Amino acid sequence: MGNSFQVQDRFADGAQYIGGRLRSGTSGRRHAVVNPATGDTVHTYELAGTADVDAAVAAAREAFPGWSGATPAVRSEAMHRFAAVLAEQADDFAYAESLQCGKPLKLSTEFDVPGTVDNTSFFAGAARHLEGKSAGEYDGDHTSYVRREAIGVIGSIAPWNYPLQMAAWKVLPAIAAGNTIVLKPAEITPLTSLMFAQAATEAGIPDGVINVVTGAGKDAGEHLVGHPDVVMTSFTGSTAVGKRVAEIATSTVKRLHLELGGKAPFVVFDDADLEAAVNGAVAGSLINTGQDCTAATRAYVQRPLHDAFVQGVAALMETVRLGDPFDPRTDLGPLISHAQRDRVAGFVDRARAYATVVTGGEAPGGELADGAYYRPTLITGAAQDSEIVQSEIFGPVLVVLPFDTDDEGIALANDTPYGLAASAWSRDLYRAGRATREIKAGCVWINDHIPIISEMPHGGYKASGFGKDMSSYSFEEYTQVKHVMYDNTAVARKDWHRTVFGDR
């Protein structure tokens, strides 16, 4: 796998995909894609400038009438072919994703790529089910119905932690609803987003429907968000950057969808299955090396189980194998960059002044020294208002805190600015039900943490943003609801006209 996939050859024409073909950027600045497992350069390309954004938006605008005017069946058939092409190229997608991100190949192969294929298949079907309120005579004299219409050119910005899946989450509901799109992936991980757009062209999706501009946020990103021909912006990333995106988008009165940071609580009640909770906490906190906005980051464990939980999690974390992402035995890859590893290490090092590092808390040496690796880390004894509990770390770090009453556990779970995801662990149906009602998060898992499915929405509360990715609920972001009303009376002088002129 991957031996026949040569990155330099694949993207020799550039890292911008506009109007159905690759082209070079025009910013005058080059950027390197780096394998974080080794520090080696994978590919160097020219970044997009504002002229590239303009060209991509123009291509999307030109493609919009034809694509939005196509029947749902035509769009659906094209997207089913798209899913088939993605499935055929699954090995190349998995290889490229692991190469640019440092993900273990088993994660790319078993999670990122099949999840994207499934998401594409789902939206291929959903394209034929854009529904509105039933037509009816709601006032007796008129027939009303609702149309859902495509809104135009979408400008989306995706993050680096799941480049392929995030490209799909942005592109698929937009084009299924009849829109066209310009996607800006993170400049450090553009490869699979470009491949995704190429696969769409191979599947017969018209040129200009999906465009990709690979550039810096300050240049390409801000220009895309503020572009007058872009009618809606969807952004996934940090809350801090999301605030800047919102400022630009609202100044041009365009629609906005934000999926921002998270600090997911993992609430373990005293009747929980301890073994299941321990396994779930390690998997939920370490997936993608903790670079997941829904990752378990704060474990609140009711006091009778607290010590055993800490002991179990520490022991299991110490068995996790760091290594070459392409080695099938590797469990945990590096962080996305040395800068991100140092950021994570900074959080942990500052926490030593007020908390206990039970295991981890260091970068490995030896053969992994050149990569951006960091050991799975477990911290106890931190205060609820401490930085390590309140701030998004985005690394393989889990903090465990005790609680006494159910009221306290739920209150602590809600005690951060974020509200993207959470889990609760209990054998008691009523206890679990209360957690689902009272924890303020867009997704609450019971006795598990992390699984997602195409049929269900993803999006948060509070500082985690608003709007939904995935599922039919995402069409709310990408369609305009239009009320159409027909008069059924054929009467020229309506009774209500007397409020403006004349008498009854």
Side-chain angles (χ1 to χ4, degrees), residues 189-214:
T189 55
L191 303 183
T192 50
S193 298
L194 292 164
M195 292 167 62
F196 189 71
Q198 288 178 306
T201 299
E202 290 179 43
I205 291 176
D207 294 348
V209 172
I210 301 172
N211 306 275
V212 179
V213 290
T214 307

Side-chain angles (χ1 to χ4, degrees), residues 320-340:
V320 172
R321 300 165 297 188
L322 282 67
D324 177 0
F326 295 100
D327 185 334
R329 296 169 298 177
T330 294
D331 297 320
L332 199 71
L335 290 152
I336 192 64
S337 66
H338 287 83
Q340 179 65 13

Side-chain angles (χ1 to χ4, degrees), residues 2-53:
N3 291 335
S4 63
F5 181 85
Q6 300 296 326
V7 174
Q8 298 290 356
D9 293 341
R10 180 72 177 258
F11 303 111
D13 293 332
Q16 318 303 324
Y17 197 75
I18 299 172
R21 67 179 182 88
L22 287 171
R23 52 189 268 183
S24 184
T26 61
S27 70
R29 292 184 292 121
R30 297 190 68 77
H31 186 81
V33 178
V34 175
N35 179 349
T38 63
D40 296 337
T41 296
V42 171
H43 182 57
T44 303
Y45 67 93
E46 194 89 6
L47 287 165
T50 56
D52 302 303
V53 174

Side-chain angles (χ1 to χ4, degrees), residues 128-429:
R128 302 183 75 160
H129 296 281
L130 285 169
E131 298 177 349
K133 194 169 184 178
S134 297
E137 289 68 50
Y138 295 98
D139 71 350
D141 290 337
H142 302 81
T143 296
S144 288
Y145 66 88
V146 167
R147 291 176 54 89
R148 281 195 180 273
E149 298 179 348
I151 58 177
V153 177
I154 312 300
S156 290
I157 300 176
W160 48 256
N161 57 334
Y162 290 103
L164 176 59
Q165 289 204 81
M166 295 298 99
W169 286 16
K170 299 303 180 196
V171 168
L172 295 172
I175 68 170
N179 303 288
T180 56
I181 189 167
V182 179
L183 173 72
K184 194 200 87 66
E187 60 269 33
I188 59 175
T189 55
L191 303 183
T192 50
S193 298
L194 292 164
M195 292 167 62
F196 189 71
Q198 288 178 306
T201 299
E202 290 179 43
I205 291 176
D207 294 348
V209 172
I210 301 172
N211 306 275
V212 179
V213 290
T214 307
K218 284 288 185 182
D219 302 322
E222 292 198 1
H223 190 63
L224 177 62
V225 174
H227 199 289
D229 291 333
V230 169
V231 299
M232 183 261 192
T233 291
S234 178
F235 170 80
T236 295
S238 71
T239 298
V241 177
K243 290 177 180 178
R244 175 60 181 156
V245 169
E247 289 174 1
I248 299 170
T250 54
S251 70
T252 54
V253 197
K254 52 173 54 83
R255 285 194 183 197
L256 184 61
H257 164 218
L258 298 175
E259 198 266 85
L260 306 177
K263 190 70 178 174
F266 186 101
V267 183
V268 182
F269 294 103
D270 58 14
D271 67 330
D273 181 326
L274 180 61
E275 181 182 7
V278 166
N279 280 275
V282 173
S285 63
L286 299 185
I287 186 169
N288 204 36
T289 317
Q291 298 168 127
D292 187 312
C293 49
T294 64
T297 59
R298 302 176 288 138
Y300 297 103
V301 185
Q302 208 151 22
R303 207 169 293 274
L305 292 185
H306 177 270
D307 292 351
F309 178 87
V310 169
Q311 182 179 3
V313 168
L316 187 54
M317 278 187 169
E318 288 166 6
T319 71
V320 172
R321 300 165 297 188
L322 282 67
D324 177 0
F326 295 100
D327 185 334
R329 296 169 298 177
T330 294
D331 297 320
L332 199 71
L335 290 152
I336 192 64
S337 66
H338 287 83
Q340 179 65 13
R341 183 197 63 187
D342 293 345
R343 179 180 179 275
V344 171
F347 276 104
V348 175
D349 291 342
R350 290 190 296 273
R352 296 180 196 277
Y354 55 79
T356 300
V357 177
V358 178
T359 189
E362 62 181 4
E367 61 185 15
L368 300 181
D370 292 336
Y373 290 89
Y374 198 76
R375 295 194 185 281
T377 300
L378 179 65
I379 293 175
T380 61
Q384 174 65 15
D385 62 356
S386 62
E387 178 191 53
I388 203 79
V389 174
Q390 292 291 326
S391 298
E392 186 174 34
I393 300 168
F394 230 54
V397 180
L398 177 66
V399 184
V400 182
L401 298 88
F403 70 91
D404 291 303
T405 67
D406 289 17
D407 288 350
E408 181 188 9
I410 290 174
L412 290 169
N414 286 328
D415 184 29
T416 70
Y418 301 106
L420 187 59
S423 65
W425 298 72
S426 173
R427 290 184 173 98
D428 186 305
L429 175 66

